[in-house]
Amino acid sequence: MLQAFGPFMHKARKTGKARRSASRGTSARPAEDTAAIRAWAKENGYSVNERGRVLAEIREAYANAK
């Protein structure tokens, strides 16, 4: 099998160590903040999903309201 790669080996390049992204379920913002933002958004007439990313527009409005 290694012989099959022979013609391509001279064009190959080394890569650095692979960088791993943060594991799923972690974010820069704590879940409590997101939950508070969602609750505030619903009380103030914004349409927000129960899961997923909260729009930057809503986060900004929340921050300005504090």
Side-chain angles (χ1 to χ4, degrees), residues 24-39:
R24 297 191 109 209
T26 62
S27 68
R29 296 182 182 96
E32 303 85 46
D33 290 343
T34 303
I37 293 170
R38 287 182 201 283

Side-chain angles (χ1 to χ4, degrees), residues 33-50:
D33 290 343
T34 303
I37 293 170
R38 287 182 201 283
W40 176 88
K42 288 177 184 177
E43 291 170 4
N44 289 281
Y46 288 93
S47 176
V48 62
N49 294 327
E50 292 296 322

Side-chain angles (χ1 to χ4, degrees), residues 1 7-8 11 15 26 28 31-32 34 37 39 42-43 45 55 58-59 61 66:
M1 174 139 166
F8 304 102
K11 294 276 187 172
T15 60
T26 62
E32 303 85 46
T34 303
I37 293 170
K42 288 177 184 177
E43 291 170 4
L55 295 175
I58 295 173
R59 287 188 180 277
K66 280 184 134 182

